[in-house]
Amino acid sequence: MAKNSILLLRNYMQYALNLHTKTYCTKTPPHYDIIIVGGGMVGTTLACTLGKNSKLSDHRILLLESGTPHNWIKTEKYSNRVSALNLNTYNLMNKIGAWKHIAEIRCSSVKNMQIWDAISDVMISFNHEEVSNVAAHIVENDLLIYAVGKELCCLKNVEVKNQVKIKEFVLPQQPSQNVFVHLNEGETFTCNLLLGCDGAQSQVRNAMGVNYISWKYDQMGVVATLKLSEANENVTAWQRFLPTGPIAILPLKNNLSSLVWATTPDHARALIELKEVDFVDKINDALWKPLDNSSIIQESTKAFNKLLEFFELPTSNEKQLPPKVIGVDPGSTAAFPLGFGHATNYVKQGVALVGDAAHRVHPLAGQGVNLGFGDVSTLNKILGEAVYSGRSLGQITDLQEYETLRQRHNFPTMVAIDGLHKLYNTEFPPIVLLRSLGLQFTHALNPLKKAIINQAAR
Amino acid sequence: MTADPLLNSATIDPKEYAIFNNISSVWWDPKGEIRALHYISSLITPFILKEIVNAGLPKKEFVNTTTPLKGLEILEVGCGGGLLTEKIGSFGCNLTAIDINSELIEVAKHHATLNPSLTNINYRLEAVEDHVLQNTKKYDVVITNFVLEHVQDQELFLRICIKCLRPGGSLIVSSIGQTWMGWFFGIILPEFILSKIPRGMHEYDKFITIEETQKLLEKYKCRTTSTRGLRYGIIGEPWIWIDSTSMFYILHAVKSHY
């Protein structure tokens, strides 16, 4: 009996406590129209782009970032993490006013590209006459965030919160409901539209529970800043496909280039342990050292070259020689794992994924972040149009349009990149022969090359 | 309900009044009996905005912002539960929305409170012929969205709507044509074959062709500047724009200065 009364009493007390919290302690949490999770390159750019969209003016935007506030100070030393920005990204940066800050500080342009097969020595090149302008801009990731952040801090409708850890997202079940974002510190925000830009390990994606197809490549990316011997005009991006993975060097300035080398994990770990002199030797070997190849492949590619010459088409004989590496910037060497990821759905009612949260690719084509910036452009346009058509933000029909448009571009690009990776990750002679002939053929046909450039520029 | 004094007005049909009373509870249900109206209002909102902007009515500095219609006085006649009203209201205009059905006006008023930013809509339970007494030549834009085929005296109704409009203002009218296509797609298919909308909601006798509407508007010095047709999609998009204006149509007419 006594036990029962105690239980009863406890129940009552709990009830009273609940009542108390409900009536006195709940106030409506701060509401935003849009909350962006993740302040990386894509998240920051998205916040800035939406904040500057006149059709979304006086919509309140909140950017949540787990890291400390970004504080970039210019030093002589270049960062080892750089991105090759395509034409679409360049236009976006110009539109939001961030490009002038980048151009003021530093960036380099790629005017030519040369890609060749280490086994057959067949190459393809993209020259600026064919591209008609700059193929890509090489910008340090930190500098890009700094430049966008400089524009972002002038916007009155965008708030940024740093060092924020998110406990959970409560996504709407019905169109009229809001998204709730609960922080670890106990704060809560609500919004009409939640945008997940929180990278490959996206928390937002987990909360959405969408199907995510992913695998790890048996490769790691090694990055470093390289010193070159020649001090002449450095405007060419070089990439050589080795059987273990592609090695690429991208121009930073006249005697400096950035290395992105995808190779087997064991090799990558060994490389970053090496002394500078040995590492330089390995890089030069990877760029220059001829590999044994079978005579059949040699004869076939030669014969095909002859055939192309007969029709006066471009051949692989015009191959340029890559620069010689003489040193590595101390402390610039690092390695990171590579993977593929594809969310089968980018959106749900009131929430959308942007950038690496939705898709992750092999860096061999330098497309990863550009796909993310493409998402930003498309989403910005669709959200502006939605509001201008009298619809509220976060409507599933608008978000689905974003998903359709982006998947139509992203997915084929991703499949192509993954296909290239698989195609070049083998030494099996028939495959090497076929890919070499295919590369020669592509190089010979300008319209095909232009189509590739167009896909990569969007 | 018959005690409602409004029912004595010249433009109101008591039979229609009862039908609309019955569906007031499902008005905002996107899968309910009037879901077609949800799709239609989503489709025509950008059209209406574009027409008003192209007519040069809003101030230039507001175009392409969140509030493109700021400063304009707009009247919606027959707003129902406020489907189109809230969309137009989100453009920042001063919107007066009238309807003669008290239950629908309550639905509309209630739904507007769910969105705290919608403070610019003034819902009134009023017939247009009463409204005009105080508001002659007041509005920059008058909108009647699929109302014309529900009113008693269509010519009088349009005349009064135009009377509310200032010279140079825009009138947006949408309705269903009195053609066999309108009959089939407006009554037979949705009410009898697909049972998508309540039976008896539309009467063929009250349908009015676009030519007839234009003639009436012309009579009261309104020149039609653009027309568009729409229909529901068989597959894919629920409602789409089409060239033919013989079944469902929307038109934009401008009131002359003379």
Side-chain angles (χ1 to χ4, degrees), chain A residues 55-115:
Chain A
K55 288 178 181 171
L56 296 171
S57 58
D58 65 62
H59 278 66
R60 292 182 68 208
I61 301 169
L62 175 67
L63 176 64
L64 298 175
E65 161 62 21
S66 58
T68 50
H70 203 78
N71 212 350
W72 189 83
I73 300 149
K74 189 185 171 181
T75 54
E76 264 309 292
K77 216 169 136 83
Y78 275 76
S79 157
N80 58 2
R81 298 307 304 269
V82 300
S83 295
L85 308 183
N86 67 10
L87 186 65
N88 178 57
T89 310
Y90 170 75
N91 290 340
L92 177 69
M93 288 297 147
N94 259 322
K95 198 174 118 191
I96 63 172
W99 188 259
K100 57 178 186 280
H101 303 305
I102 295 173
E104 218 169 71
I105 297 171
R106 63 194 176 197
C107 69
S108 64
S109 41
V110 176
K111 291 186 175 147
N112 310 313
M113 286 190 277
Q114 180 172 301
I115 299 152

Side-chain angles (χ1 to χ4, degrees), chain A residues 54-57 59 388-390, chain B residues 45-46 49 64-66 68 87 91:
Chain A
S54 67
K55 288 178 181 171
L56 296 171
S57 58
H59 278 66
Y388 208 59
S389 303
Chain B
T45 307
L49 177 62
N64 278 329
T65 69
T66 319
K87 289 194 162 66
F91 296 138

Side-chain angles (χ1 to χ4, degrees), chain B residues 25-62:
Chain B
S25 58
V26 292
W27 199 271
W28 278 96
D29 178 4
K31 292 189 172 69
E33 280 179 300
I34 56 149
R35 59 178 167 258
L37 217 47
H38 285 253
Y39 295 129
I40 292 174
S41 46
S42 303
L43 186 67
I44 65 173
T45 307
F47 171 80
I48 294 174
L49 177 62
K50 210 176 86 196
E51 287 298 322
I52 296 174
V53 168
N54 288 353
L57 298 175
K59 283 212 178 79
K60 205 179 150 203
E61 67 251 40
F62 297 129

Side-chain angles (χ1 to χ4, degrees), chain A residues 135-445:
Chain A
H137 291 274
I138 309 293
V139 178
E140 293 150 89
N141 297 357
D142 290 340
L143 171 59
L144 187 137
I145 297 180
Y146 163 78
V148 177
K150 218 169 163 181
E151 286 296 310
L152 186 67
C153 62
C154 315
L155 298 174
K156 285 194 208 85
N157 52 340
V158 183
E159 262 178 70
V160 183
K161 275 192 196 300
N162 279 292
Q163 288 170 291
V164 168
K165 292 270 179 298
I166 287 147
K167 196 163 94 191
E168 72 168 329
F169 301 103
V170 182
L171 301 178
Q173 303 301 318
Q174 267 152 20
S176 53
Q177 287 170 332
N178 282 335
V179 180
F180 283 78
V181 180
H182 298 287
L183 304 188
N184 262 355
E185 294 80 24
E187 256 182 301
T188 297
F189 301 109
T190 61
C191 63
N192 296 87
L193 176 61
L194 178 73
L195 299 175
C197 309
D198 44 351
Q201 312 296 331
S202 171
Q203 243 182 309
V204 177
R205 192 183 62 226
N206 290 341
M208 287 164 74
V210 293
N211 196 6
Y212 185 65
I213 302 161
S214 66
W215 59 78
K216 279 193 180 125
Y217 290 116
D218 191 27
Q219 281 184 344
M220 282 181 95
V222 176
V223 290
T225 309
L226 307 179
K227 290 175 196 143
L228 307 180
S229 62
E230 293 106 291
N232 54 7
E233 209 193 11
N234 188 6
V235 288
T236 307
W238 309 88
Q239 184 162 39
R240 189 185 193 207
F241 278 98
L242 297 159
T244 47
I247 177 171
I249 57 174
L250 307 168
L252 289 177
K253 65 178 195 183
N254 277 352
N255 54 353
L256 277 186
S257 276
S258 183
L259 169 79
V260 188
W261 187 355
T263 185
T264 56
D266 293 335
H267 189 214
R269 265 176 237 120
L271 282 176
I272 57 173
E273 295 296 316
L274 287 177
K275 271 193 246 139
E276 189 191 335
V277 201
D278 300 324
F279 188 36
V280 168
D281 281 347
K282 290 277 181 204
I283 296 167
N284 280 324
D285 280 354
L287 285 172
W288 289 83
K289 197 177 171 186
L291 298 180
D292 308 325
N293 58 9
S294 85
S295 55
I296 302 172
I297 293 171
Q298 235 168 15
E299 291 307 316
S300 314
T301 52
K302 244 186 219 162
F304 195 55
N305 259 346
K306 286 247 168 67
L307 185 72
L308 293 172
E309 261 168 18
F310 177 77
F311 287 109
E312 294 182 345
L313 287 167
T315 65
S316 299
N317 296 340
E318 310 140 8
K319 202 172 133 217
Q320 308 276 313
L321 296 177
K324 213 155 189 103
V325 179
I326 53 165
V328 176
D329 213 3
S332 70
T333 317
F336 55 92
L338 304 178
F340 176 95
H342 168 67
T344 49
N345 286 96
Y346 290 3
V347 303
K348 272 200 167 170
Q349 176 68 40
V351 53
L353 298 172
V354 182
D356 274 9
H359 42 72
R360 181 179 179 202
V361 291
H362 194 286
L364 69 86
Q367 284 295 311
V369 81
N370 289 312
L371 293 181
F373 287 123
D375 296 349
V376 171
S377 302
T378 306
L379 189 60
N380 176 49
K381 208 171 144 209
I382 286 176
L383 293 182
E385 278 316 309
V387 171
Y388 208 59
S389 303
R391 295 191 290 273
S392 59
L393 281 174
Q395 293 295 311
I396 189 72
T397 40
D398 295 312
L399 296 179
Q400 269 164 350
E401 194 192 336
Y402 156 73
E403 178 185 86
T404 311
L405 283 176
R406 282 321 289 171
Q407 286 195 340
R408 206 177 282 161
H409 176 76
N410 291 350
F411 195 66
T413 311
M414 292 166 76
V415 169
I417 292 171
D418 186 56
L420 278 178
H421 163 75
K422 293 206 163 71
L423 188 64
Y424 279 94
N425 206 21
T426 176
E427 289 174 84
F428 186 53
I431 303 277
V432 175
L433 177 61
L434 278 176
R435 78 184 185 206
S436 301
L437 295 178
L439 198 65
Q440 282 177 301
F441 189 67
T442 313
H443 182 61
L445 288 179

